[in-house]
Amino acid sequence: MNNIKGQTKFLLAGFLVSGSLLLSGCAAPLILAGAGAGIVGANVAGNKAGTKTQLSDTQIKFRAVGFQADYPALQNNSNVEIAVYNGIVLLLGQVPNEKIKEGLAAKISNLPDVSVVYNQLVVGKSVSLGQYADDGWITSRIVADLNANGVGSFKFKVITESGVVYMMGVVTKEEGYNASVIASEVKGVKKVVQFYSYLSEPSENNVDGKAI
């Protein structure tokens, strides 16, 4: 992540754990989890799970989408996906230049009740309609498979971009890991990237960073 100067700061270990579920042939998947880094929002008060917020995720997304109007170059020349879960914002898609990529993230990070912004925007051309359709199919299949395997999809927000699956949620480590493994087994998935807030719980089995 690139640093945005001003009032925003980097969030280091402790709030979110971000990692990738790497796929390589038929080998067992490897969980690689490390300290996440993102742009901390203006009104951070720790983990908000189970607490009331001034703005709902829907309202945050509505205002975040509205910021795109500040950048005329985005009109008919971009593909920006804004996902919000429990005050955590994930930016995906393609934009024309670095200035827009960083500027949009900075504006969103200053919204009330935004705890952190993960900026995964890429400078480049928008994906094709065919890829967009494929990504939609992958997301739908993952949701169905989560439910079929007893992992409630309602606990997760799943977004697919160019075959890369991004998963958000406030879950236990076991729930997050199981969901990521299930997602990785769907046809067409290149890798799974986790943006989880982990619930505190006594556990003897910590799967982060361990091969299975």
Side-chain angles (χ1 to χ4, degrees):
M1 306 290 176
N2 294 323
N3 185 27
I4 292 182
K5 297 180 180 179
Q7 296 182 349
T8 58
K9 297 176 291 184
F10 277 103
L11 179 68
L12 298 177
F15 182 64
L16 285 181
V17 175
S18 171
S20 296
L21 185 62
L22 306 181
L23 311 180
S24 55
C26 296
L30 178 68
I31 294 292
L32 301 177
I39 306 166
V40 176
N43 298 295
V44 180
N47 194 327
K48 296 180 180 178
T51 66
K52 293 183 179 180
T53 58
Q54 296 176 358
L55 291 175
S56 67
D57 288 347
T58 300
Q59 290 173 314
I60 291 173
K61 181 170 182 177
F62 179 80
R63 295 183 64 179
V65 169
F67 286 140
Q68 295 182 62
D70 296 339
Y71 302 96
L74 289 178
Q75 304 303 315
N76 302 317
N77 191 33
S78 67
N79 170 41
V80 177
E81 174 72 21
I82 302 174
V84 185
Y85 193 98
N86 195 44
I88 301 165
V89 180
L90 174 63
L91 299 179
L92 299 172
Q94 302 79 41
V95 293
N97 56 62
E98 194 73 21
K99 183 178 180 180
I100 293 176
K101 171 184 174 180
E102 300 299 341
L104 185 60
K107 285 176 180 283
I108 294 172
S109 72
N110 285 318
L111 285 174
D113 287 331
V114 169
S115 56
V116 63
V117 176
Y118 280 91
N119 189 355
Q120 299 291 305
L121 291 171
V122 175
V123 176
K125 295 182 179 180
S126 299
V127 298
S128 66
L129 290 177
Q131 181 64 64
Y132 187 81
D134 289 344
D135 289 342
W137 180 88
I138 290 173
T139 297
S140 298
R141 184 54 189 261
I142 290 172
V143 170
D145 286 357
L146 289 175
N147 290 325
N149 284 276
V151 181
S153 63
F154 64 90
K155 296 182 180 180
F156 301 88
K157 181 178 286 292
V158 183
I159 314 99
T160 307
E161 179 76 24
S162 299
V164 178
V165 176
Y166 299 85
M167 301 189 69
M168 307 171 72
V170 181
V171 295
T172 65
K173 288 189 175 183
E174 181 179 6
E175 289 171 334
Y177 181 65
N178 289 341
S180 295
V181 171
I182 291 169
S184 74
E185 295 172 346
V186 170
K187 182 179 179 181
V189 173
K190 297 176 180 177
K191 67 177 178 179
V192 176
V193 182
Q194 304 169 151
F195 291 97
Y196 295 143
S197 289
Y198 288 127
L199 296 171
S200 298
E201 63 170 2
S203 175
E204 297 179 356
N205 299 314
N206 188 332
V207 299
D208 286 348
K210 296 182 180 179
I212 61 170

